[in-house]
Amino acid sequence: MTGTQKSRHYLAEHYQTLGRIDLNYRETNLLVRAVYSSKGMKNFSTMQVRITKLSTEGALLHGHLLEFLPEQFYLCLGEKEIFITCAKRQLKDNKMAVVFAQPESSAFVQALVRVRTPLSMLKRLRGDCAPAIEARITSRHRD
């Protein structure tokens, strides 16, 4: 999954050409939501996906319906607490390599890798997770 595919979405193409490379993938097992626009940006849909490998620059996702994800989408952690903008890099055999729009901090990635309960990333995160994850929770969810 190291090759890139030609992207149709201009933002996805932009993310893929930023020239950042972090091949230090860490093994993990997290269930998260993939959030994507449907019907011309008026509605959003979600799909549950599994992150099996994670780095500061991207991730490897597993799922049976990944081919239905658009070129650009968001990974949602918690109850709409953390969003990571992603772009498809390659899709093969129910596995998708994605690149992040912005690099994530090493501390954040390490904190996610240490999570041992896969379903915890679908639940409320605030107050129950590592400081590096808490720091990423959007301000509107900090009340």
Side-chain angles (χ1 to χ4, degrees):
M1 288 205 167
T2 57
T4 60
Q5 296 173 343
K6 179 80 172 143
S7 173
R8 293 183 308 249
H9 191 281
Y10 74 97
L11 287 176
E13 190 169 330
H14 171 71
Y15 301 151
Q16 291 177 0
T17 60
L18 290 177
R20 301 181 318 244
I21 297 175
D22 176 8
L23 298 178
N24 188 17
Y25 281 96
R26 294 127 184 122
E27 298 284 332
T28 189
N29 182 20
L30 300 173
L31 291 174
V32 299
R33 291 176 191 90
V35 180
Y36 55 99
S37 63
S38 57
K39 296 189 181 181
M41 298 290 285
K42 293 192 182 227
N43 296 319
F44 285 91
S45 299
T46 63
M47 168 189 311
Q48 186 172 301
V49 298
R50 182 177 304 275
I51 300 175
T52 58
K53 292 187 180 190
L54 185 64
S55 78
T56 59
E57 304 293 335
L60 182 65
L61 309 178
H62 281 220
H64 294 290
L65 301 173
L66 291 174
E67 65 268 10
F68 297 108
L69 280 175
E71 297 291 322
Q72 191 260 331
F73 60 96
Y74 307 92
L75 292 178
C76 175
L77 286 68
E79 294 177 353
K80 300 179 185 174
E81 294 170 301
I82 299 174
F83 287 90
I84 301 172
T85 306
C86 300
K88 276 186 187 180
R89 193 158 190 106
Q90 188 174 30
L91 174 64
K92 183 177 181 183
D93 299 330
N94 295 327
K95 298 176 189 176
M96 179 188 293
V98 298
V99 62
F100 299 150
Q102 298 178 7
E104 297 297 334
S105 71
S106 295
F108 178 66
V109 171
Q110 287 299 336
L112 288 175
V113 169
R114 285 191 292 258
V115 172
R116 293 292 169 226
T117 53
L119 291 175
S120 65
M121 287 295 118
L122 295 173
K123 300 176 183 175
R124 185 175 179 195
L125 299 176
R126 190 183 66 205
D128 293 328
C129 56
I133 297 173
E134 287 275 348
R136 280 293 312 278
I137 295 174
T138 59
S139 59
R140 68 178 173 180
H141 286 91
R142 291 180 193 247
D143 308 64

